[in-house]
Amino acid sequence: GQQVMQIPQYQHVQEGEDFTTYCNSSTTLSNIQWYKQRPGGHPVFLIQLVKSGEVKKQKRLTFQFGEAKKNSSLHITATQTTDVGTYFCAGQSRSNDYKLSFGAGTTVTVRA
Amino acid sequence: DVKVTQSSRYLVKRTGEKVFLECVQDMDHENMFWYRQDPGLGLRLIYFSYDVKMKEKGDIPEGYSVSREKKERFSLILESASTNQTSMYLCASSSLQGLGQILNTEAFFGQGTRLTVV
């Protein structure tokens, strides 16, 4: 079945530095969504990518969908303490349109 | 303000008890999901439903069942609770988009129910 893998599991970042988290699927995806969960909170939608090679930006966050639609990345520049949390990707595949499967997440901590 | 409401924030149950977790959404969404979240394992899909009275198994359905009698309500049932079902349970809902291919729009999550089985 469809599996979405995320790396790294943990990311410890110095404030002001950049980092990237990656999401890889075993199957071709129809689209991919990214969510952020703050400590003690619930996941909140960030963005959805649909097209092959698509790149979208939200301020310091850059999201990319791979050409083959089997991987995605989230790059954060100039990390701030407000970026602390767990970032999840969620993929949907053609084989089961209604199923929304999440990766294990990347938990980000920031050193001030 | 859109809302997904889970009936309990914290729940403690005994091994062997039948447990009901309730979720209600007010957005008229077609799709509803139940996930459990455990450290290092992310969000794992238990069951989902794309319509009233319809249900589909997720990745870890064993030990669980669901009920969707009304569009706004999706219940997760633990027929006989076990200690390995101690976890955070998250309900989510989304609507559908697209013409040639139906996809989920963004999912909205409830606050979660932390279930402890003793």
Side-chain angles (χ1 to χ4, degrees), chain A residues 7 20 25 27-28 35 42 53 63 78 83 86 97 110:
Chain A
I7 52 170
T20 303
S25 170
T27 59
T28 302
Y35 292 78
H42 58 275
F63 303 85
D83 295 324
T86 301
D97 293 327
V110 178

Side-chain angles (χ1 to χ4, degrees), chain A residues 17-108:
Chain A
E17 290 184 343
D18 302 352
F19 76 90
T20 303
T21 176
Y22 300 90
C23 183
N24 298 297
S25 170
S26 56
T27 59
T28 302
L29 298 172
S30 302
N31 71 351
I32 196 157
Q33 298 175 350
W34 284 89
Y35 292 78
K36 178 182 178 180
Q37 183 177 26
R38 295 181 185 276
H42 58 275
V44 175
F45 177 83
L46 293 175
I47 209 159
Q48 177 171 273
L49 304 171
V50 180
K51 298 175 184 175
S52 170
E54 189 170 16
V55 178
K56 286 188 176 180
K57 292 191 175 186
Q58 287 180 350
K59 297 183 181 178
R60 294 178 296 103
L61 278 61
T62 301
F63 303 85
Q64 189 164 6
F65 202 9
E67 293 290 340
K69 300 183 77 172
K70 295 180 82 169
N71 56 72
S72 181
S73 64
L74 160 59
H75 181 78
I76 299 182
T77 58
T79 303
Q80 299 177 359
T81 55
T82 53
D83 295 324
V84 163
T86 301
Y87 294 83
F88 293 99
C89 63
Q92 299 181 78
S93 71
R94 189 175 292 275
S95 60
N96 191 334
D97 293 327
Y98 303 122
K99 185 179 180 182
L100 192 61
S101 293
F102 282 76
T106 295
T107 298
V108 176

Side-chain angles (χ1 to χ4, degrees), chain B residues 5-69:
Chain B
T5 304
Q6 294 183 229
S7 53
S8 304
R9 199 72 195 271
Y10 299 94
L11 214 51
V12 179
K13 295 292 182 180
R14 295 191 181 278
T15 300
E17 274 193 81
K18 190 169 185 176
V19 182
F20 292 87
L21 302 183
E22 306 286 347
C23 176
V24 177
Q25 50 99 0
D26 64 0
M27 296 166 281
D28 200 36
H29 282 168
E30 296 87 351
N31 283 1
M32 296 189 75
F33 306 84
W34 274 106
Y35 297 89
R36 62 176 284 177
Q37 183 171 23
D38 301 287
L41 298 177
L43 298 167
R44 292 183 292 167
L45 181 62
I46 304 171
Y47 267 97
F48 64 105
S49 167
Y50 55 89
D51 201 353
V52 176
K53 295 193 186 295
M54 305 301 289
K55 60 184 179 183
E56 291 278 347
K57 292 181 180 179
D59 300 315
I60 52 163
E62 296 78 19
Y64 303 93
S65 62
V66 290
S67 172
R68 192 161 181 207
E69 296 297 318

